[in-house]
């Protein structure tokens, strides 16, 4: 793979080609040996009664074991020079959004759910350049919401209560017992029942919604069923500890029964009762299929005084619009669903979660759409999954951004490396993802150049490129042939490593694939290599994590100029982290030998201190000195380096969401 630029190409230009980007890879060997071998609506800040109070001037997101997470520790710019507002938020795969004014301050803030029981609250702030959304990390942190949530006014007292998913697909209710400007959420029912005493069931894959559909002053709750029907409940207007706030109305609201027609263009669902589908059999014929997981939203999007319904579905690539053909007092939704917007229907990977609000304050409702990923593609391959459609004065909708929250997000399962790419004494950011959505056989590499210095980082994205045929790659950098420049051992999803030798120079690298199965691991897949001279014999040895959770150790029985890796153990040290081990070698405790840090799928970062020596290692697992697993992403891929020049190692990691996390160390390593 040649990475040589044309003679006239400027190095580190404002908009270099992808080939030019990789040609810049140059690392001081000292740095390389250290780093590449180891190294929808909420309340404003200060207005939440049941949680801690975040400091709006602090960019951090709380502390954990001497570590402070920071969302904006350094400026990070896009290729065009515009900044990421929250660069180290961590990425979204399946964002479930809601806009609403919970604190009653006159604007709509944003709440997004990405994982079970976690709500991310973004406070709206108006700026001369438009609305800005700032993450308040402590707000709603104590609420257990399961797989979905809705802030709605159940008891018609003017503030918003909270409905959420309870285990086994039931529903829980938090009553808002606070005041205007200071809501407080109190759990009233862990399993909400209706006035008949029956538990209110909503499959956890469905996201219900509520609105006053008939303008009688009482909230109506709607639950989409897996069979394509809609169940309606009506609020009683009262919430007490011993009385149900909902009565059951019907399991077939407006006789809606949406099914998918496999033969229809794009799989657009149509009503069962309109006579357009006739079950057939035989070659080339089909049966209609019932729907799966769904989302719902209710809003008067056409400003005609009545509430319309919107349906997102696992088997629907867009969003279905069920227009209210009646009135506010006498709703009529017995109409054929239409793809929305009518003039230019949304097309995504499917299973779309809508929320409506006037984000630009022009008097009409805009649409924010979370893409959860359905039948048309799992949503873990792309970061374009939080789409803003602004409504124009003529009633049409225009897509203004597909990444509403401004952050580093490369799609899914990001792997972070820190390397001094341009030999200027600071560390640049090298991020890979699981898969390129445009080429499902390859991953991508995202390059962020550090334009600052060793004590004051400043990153700018320089482009995207690929490394020869690598799907789900995890790179390890090191001088494997002893020629003074960095080569790459590339882990892939298969049980092998690829060797890309730098046949250029330290200043103008030219990576050539030498061997696509340079090392074959013995037990699993998803190879994650790290290099280090573990026995102090002057050459780089190799440790490989894998899907099984164990560690493979390969001793270099060759030399510093001609490596030969020999398997010593495929269960090194008896280490087994359960699933997806991601090892890094680094001198974490400052005693001049290499310790082992292991990222895991769900148990955070484990620490194995080297209690041996530089030549005879002996790894002992001790209590982890790293942030708690609850504060880290799934599939954590740690990298340690001193990015702020304060003499200790900071933590940078990728994760399942495809973004990047940064934690600054504030206390010395433990003994």
């Amino acid at each position: 793979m040649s990475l040589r630029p044309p003679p006239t190409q400027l190095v580190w230009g404002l908009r270099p080609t992808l080939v030019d980007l990789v040609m810049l890879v140059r690392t001081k060997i000292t740095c390389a040996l250290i780093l590449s071998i180891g190294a929808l609506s909420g309340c404003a800040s200060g207005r939440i009664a049941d949680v801690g109070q975040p400091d709006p001037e602090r960019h951090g997101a709380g502390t954990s074991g001497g570590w402070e997470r920071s969302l904006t520790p350094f400026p990070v710019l896009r290729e065009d020079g515009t900044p990421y507002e929250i660069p180290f938020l961590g990425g979204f795969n399946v964002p479930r959004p809601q806009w609403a004014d919970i604190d009653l301050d006159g604007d709509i803030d944003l709440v997004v759910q990405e994982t079970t029981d976690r709500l991310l609250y973004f406070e709206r702030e108006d700026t001369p350049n438009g609305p800005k959304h700032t993450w308040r990390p402590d707000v709603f942190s104590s609420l257990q919401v399961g797989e979905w949530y809705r802030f709605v006014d159940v008891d018609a007292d003017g503030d918003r209560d909270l409905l959420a998913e309870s285990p086994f697909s039931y529903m829980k209710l938090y009553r808002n017992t606070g005041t205007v400007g200071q809501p407080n959420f109190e759990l009233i029912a862990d399993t909400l029942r209706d006035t008949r005493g029956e538990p209110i069931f909503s499959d956890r894959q469905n996201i219900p919604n509520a609105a006053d559909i008939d303008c009688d002053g009482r909230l109506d709750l709607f639950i989409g069923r897996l069979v394509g029907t809609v169940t309606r409940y009506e609020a009683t207007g009262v919430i007490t500890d011993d009385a149900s706030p909902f009565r059951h109305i019907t399991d077939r609201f407006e006789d809606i029964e949406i099914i998918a027609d496999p033969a229809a263009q794009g799989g657009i669902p149509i009503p069962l009762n309109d006579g357009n589908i006739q079950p057939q059999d035989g070659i080339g014929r089909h049966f209609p299929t019932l729907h799966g997981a769904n989302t719902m939203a209710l809003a008067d999007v056409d400003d005609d005084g009545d509430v319309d319904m919107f349906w997102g579905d696992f088997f629907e690539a867009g969003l279905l619009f069920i227009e209210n053909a009646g009135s506010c007092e006498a709703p009529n939704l017995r109409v054929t669903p239409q793809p929305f917007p009518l003039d230019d229907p949304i097309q995504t990977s499917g299973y779309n979660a809508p929320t409506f609000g006037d984000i630009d304050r022009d008097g009409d409702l805009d649409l924010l759409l979370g893409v959860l990923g359905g039948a048309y593609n799992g949503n873990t391959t792309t970061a374009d999954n939080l789409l803003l459609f602004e409504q124009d004065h003529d009633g049409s909708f225009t897509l203004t951004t597909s990444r509403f929250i401004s952050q580093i997000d490369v799609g899914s399962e990001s792997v972070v490396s820190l390397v001094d790419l341009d030999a200027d004494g600071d560390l640049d950011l090298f991020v890979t993802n699981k898969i390129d959505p445009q080429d499902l056989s390859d991953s991508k590499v995202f390059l962020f150049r550090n334009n600052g210095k060793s004590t004051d980082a400043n990153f700018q994205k320089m482009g995207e490129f690929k490394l020869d045929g690598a799907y789900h790659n995890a790179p390890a950098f090191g001088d494997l042939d002893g020629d003074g420049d960095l080569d790459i051992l590339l882990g892939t999803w298969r049980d092998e490593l690829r060797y890309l030798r730098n046949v250029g120079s330290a200043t103008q690298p030219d990576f050539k694939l030498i061997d696509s199965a340079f090392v074959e691991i013995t037990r699993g897949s998803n190879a994650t290599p790290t290099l280090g001279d573990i026995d102090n014999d002057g050459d780089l040895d190799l440790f490989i994590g894998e899907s099984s959770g164990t560690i493979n150790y390969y001793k270099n029985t060759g030399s510093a100029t001609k490596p030969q890796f020999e398997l010593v153990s495929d269960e090194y040290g008896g280490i087994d982290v359960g699933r997806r081990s991601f090892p890094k070698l680094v001198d974490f405790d400052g005693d001049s030998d290499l310790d082992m840090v292991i990222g895991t799928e769900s148990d955070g970062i484990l620490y194995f201190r080297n209690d041996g020596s530089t030549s005879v290692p002996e790894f002992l697992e001790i209590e982890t000195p790293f942030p708690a697993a609850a504060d880290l992403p799934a599939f954590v891929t740690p990298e340690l380096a001193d990015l702020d020049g304060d003499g200790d190692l900071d933590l940078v990691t990728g994760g399942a969401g495809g973004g990047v996390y940064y934690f600054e160390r504030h206390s010395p390593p433990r003994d």
Side-chain angles (χ1 to χ4, degrees), residues 650-669:
D650 307 305
L651 171 64
V652 183
T653 181
V660 181
Y661 289 67
Y662 174 83
F663 293 84
E664 184 179 356
R665 182 72 167 168
H666 288 298
S667 61

Side-chain angles (χ1 to χ4, degrees), residues 504-564:
S505 66
T507 57
Q508 294 196 354
D510 181 3
F511 290 104
K512 181 180 179 181
L513 179 63
I514 301 300
D515 193 338
S516 62
F518 185 66
V519 174
E520 296 186 10
I521 63 177
T522 62
R523 296 186 57 198
S525 58
N526 291 303
T528 55
T530 185
L531 291 162
D533 187 2
I534 198 67
D535 51 9
N536 200 29
D537 64 353
D539 55 36
L540 296 177
D541 305 296
L542 173 64
F543 290 83
I544 309 172
E546 58 174 79
S547 293
S548 71
T550 58
I551 303 294
N552 299 266
Y553 168 43
Y554 290 80
K555 177 180 174 59
N556 189 348
T557 59
S559 66
T561 60
K562 191 175 182 180
Q564 181 69 44

Side-chain angles (χ1 to χ4, degrees), residues 50 117 142-146 152 154 160-164 172-177 184-190 239:
D50 67 336
D117 282 330
S142 65
L143 296 176
Q144 302 296 302
V145 297
V152 292
V154 175
R160 292 181 181 259
D161 311 294
L162 174 62
L163 295 171
K172 65 174 65 174
L173 171 63
Y174 292 87
R175 178 173 58 189
N176 190 343
T177 60
N184 180 69
F185 295 96
E186 177 184 346
L187 182 64
I188 296 300
D190 190 61
I239 299 179

Side-chain angles (χ1 to χ4, degrees), residues 1 442 466-471 490 492 498 500 511-513:
M1 177 179 70
D442 273 320
K466 297 180 179 181
L467 293 175
D468 265 346
Y471 164 74
L490 196 65
T492 73
R498 296 171 178 257
L500 286 80
F511 290 104
K512 181 180 179 181
L513 179 63

Side-chain angles (χ1 to χ4, degrees), residues 233-557:
Y233 293 84
E234 187 176 59
T236 61
V238 177
I239 299 179
T240 64
D241 294 341
D242 56 358
S244 171
F246 287 104
R247 64 185 181 96
H248 177 262
I249 302 298
T250 179
D251 288 321
R252 296 188 61 86
F253 174 67
E254 296 291 90
D255 287 328
I256 294 172
E257 187 169 357
I258 299 175
I259 66 173
D261 179 7
Q265 182 67 33
I268 295 175
I270 60 177
L272 182 67
N273 60 357
D274 75 350
N276 289 337
I277 293 182
Q278 300 296 324
Q280 302 177 42
D281 56 17
I283 298 176
R285 301 184 179 184
H286 66 275
F287 288 93
T289 59
L290 295 174
H291 267 236
N294 57 74
T295 67
M296 299 182 66
L298 299 112
D300 183 12
V301 73
D302 50 8
D303 198 27
D304 63 353
D306 53 43
V307 175
D308 309 297
M309 181 176 289
F310 297 83
W311 179 289
D313 198 276
F314 184 85
F315 292 104
E316 166 58 37
L319 186 67
L320 294 181
F321 172 49
I322 304 176
E323 185 178 8
N324 191 339
S327 64
C328 188
E329 294 77 14
N332 177 11
L333 287 89
R334 299 173 183 262
V335 299
T336 300
Q338 300 294 322
F340 187 84
L342 301 178
D343 57 342
D344 187 16
I346 295 166
Q347 292 287 312
T348 71
S349 59
Y351 194 15
N352 298 301
T355 184
F356 289 90
D358 187 5
I359 190 66
D360 52 8
R361 302 193 185 207
D362 64 351
D364 53 35
L365 294 180
D366 309 296
L367 166 65
L368 185 64
L369 193 73
V371 183
L372 309 187
Y376 298 91
N377 188 20
N379 203 43
T380 58
T381 61
T382 179
D384 297 317
N385 53 19
L386 197 56
L387 289 66
L388 174 64
F389 295 84
E390 294 189 31
Q391 187 173 177
D392 302 320
H393 294 299
D394 61 359
S396 62
F397 285 78
T398 301
L399 176 65
T400 57
T401 180
S402 59
R403 301 189 181 191
F404 185 68
I405 300 299
S406 177
Q407 61 178 313
I408 299 173
D409 192 344
V410 302
S412 178
E413 296 193 11
S414 50
V415 177
V416 172
S417 301
L418 291 166
V419 185
D420 184 5
L421 299 178
D422 51 359
D424 62 353
D426 54 40
L427 299 173
D428 307 295
L429 182 62
F430 198 82
V431 187
T432 67
N433 66 358
K434 179 179 180 179
I435 189 172
D436 177 4
Q438 306 303 319
D439 183 356
L440 301 184
S441 65
D442 273 320
S443 302
K444 274 190 175 181
V445 177
F446 301 79
L447 183 60
F448 295 84
R449 181 202 178 190
N450 191 344
N451 291 320
K453 49 188 178 181
S454 60
T455 58
D456 187 17
N458 186 325
F459 295 100
Q460 181 171 5
K461 184 180 179 184
M462 303 303 294
E464 309 166 7
F465 58 91
K466 297 180 179 181
L467 293 175
D468 265 346
Y471 164 74
H472 205 167
N473 63 46
F477 294 88
D479 184 6
L480 291 170
D481 54 6
D483 63 353
D485 55 38
L486 286 181
D487 310 295
I488 297 176
L489 276 185
L490 196 65
T492 73
W493 71 279
R494 293 194 290 261
D495 56 350
E496 62 190 27
L497 301 186
R498 296 171 178 257
Y499 176 29
L500 286 80
R501 188 171 65 203
N502 187 353
V503 298
S505 66
T507 57
Q508 294 196 354
D510 181 3
F511 290 104
K512 181 180 179 181
L513 179 63
I514 301 300
D515 193 338
S516 62
F518 185 66
V519 174
E520 296 186 10
I521 63 177
T522 62
R523 296 186 57 198
S525 58
N526 291 303
T528 55
T530 185
L531 291 162
D533 187 2
I534 198 67
D535 51 9
N536 200 29
D537 64 353
D539 55 36
L540 296 177
D541 305 296
L542 173 64
F543 290 83
I544 309 172
E546 58 174 79
S547 293
S548 71
T550 58
I551 303 294
N552 299 266
Y553 168 43
Y554 290 80
K555 177 180 174 59
N556 189 348
T557 59

Side-chain angles (χ1 to χ4, degrees), residues 8-23:
T8 58
Q9 179 63 46
L10 295 176
V11 176
W12 291 116
L14 183 60
R15 299 190 63 85
T17 67
L18 300 185
V19 169
D20 307 325
L21 301 173
V22 188
M23 98 41 113

